[in-house]
Amino acid sequence: NSTMKLENEHIYCEKEMTYDTGAYIGTVYLSIVAFLVLSGTILFTLEPAVASLSGSGTYKPSTLSSLLKCFSLQTSFKALTNTSTKPGQVLCLNGIRVLSINWVVLGHCYLVFVNLAADKIYILETLVPRRNNPIIFNGYPSVDTFFTLSGFLVSYLLLKQLAKGGTTAKHWFAYYVHRYIRLTPPYLLVILVEGFLLRQWVKGPFVRAATDRLHEPCKEYWWT
């Protein structure tokens, strides 16, 4: 007779996850975003009819309606599919972005699979001999590429501003406020979904193993 010893940390029982503070904050955050998107989309759709009923040249959208339309699906889709360029843009960076983001996604797909798979020997025997293995397991430069692009763009824009006449305290304040407003909402969304909401939404044998290691670091350090 053979016996198998299982550690408690490797045993996951199916149970209903309770909402904690982060999950409630994430639900409220997503509800607000969904409300803004829905309101902006409806307003964008109905605005031409409202303008025609008001008469030619008499309709003027309010500041609130203009703000809501920024969240509409029509505005977002138009911005995502826009291929026009502005003078002074470094166009070759777009190609580097495409290659890098696809490389990052591909590497993480394999990384999640390898971490959750029980038979690591099977993975080594099947993945390592493949010809695309070096691309997958050497995907770290794809992350470094984004840091390089970020540093290049910051330096490029700074040099352009210096060439125009230098910088002021007002310029630096506006720069950091712009960066904060641009980066914080998606960063907060990823933390709330990955760390708190994913474990509420997904069911399956590997859910606890995949989400528990994300939940505690996100809860404790805001980092996964």
Side-chain angles (χ1 to χ4, degrees), residues 128-141:
V128 172
R130 292 183 178 181
R131 294 181 179 180
N132 63 348
N133 171 60
I135 299 177
I136 298 170
F137 288 93
N138 293 292
Y140 298 102

Side-chain angles (χ1 to χ4, degrees), residues 42-190:
I42 294 175
L43 181 61
F44 196 101
T45 304
L46 298 180
E47 190 176 57
V50 175
S52 62
L53 293 176
S54 301
S56 178
T58 60
Y59 176 76
K60 184 178 180 181
S62 63
T63 304
L64 179 60
S65 64
S66 300
L67 180 62
L68 286 176
K69 285 191 297 183
C70 295
F71 295 91
S72 67
L73 293 176
Q74 296 91 328
T75 303
S76 300
F77 182 78
K78 182 179 179 181
L80 289 173
T81 57
N82 182 24
T83 58
S84 61
T85 59
K86 298 179 180 178
Q89 285 187 332
V90 186
L91 300 181
C92 63
L93 298 183
N94 296 328
I96 299 176
R97 286 194 186 102
V98 172
L99 295 175
S100 298
I101 191 62
N102 282 279
W103 198 2
V104 169
V105 172
L106 177 65
H108 279 80
C109 288
Y110 277 89
L111 181 63
V112 172
F113 171 72
V114 169
N115 288 334
L116 295 181
D119 192 352
K120 300 294 193 294
I121 302 299
Y122 171 78
I123 294 176
L124 293 177
E125 292 177 347
T126 55
L127 292 184
V128 172
R130 292 183 178 181
R131 294 181 179 180
N132 63 348
N133 171 60
I135 299 177
I136 298 170
F137 288 93
N138 293 292
Y140 298 102
S142 62
V143 180
D144 298 335
T145 303
F146 282 107
F147 289 113
T148 304
L149 291 176
S150 178
F152 172 79
L153 290 174
V154 169
S155 302
Y156 179 71
L157 295 176
L158 176 60
L159 291 175
K160 288 182 64 176
Q161 183 64 30
L162 291 175
K164 292 179 180 179
T167 60
T168 61
K170 181 180 179 180
H171 171 265
W172 285 111
F173 178 77
Y175 168 78
Y176 282 108
V177 169
H178 173 264
R179 296 287 291 180
Y180 182 84
I181 295 176
R182 181 182 179 184
L183 299 178
T184 300
Y187 177 64
L188 179 61
L189 178 63
V190 171

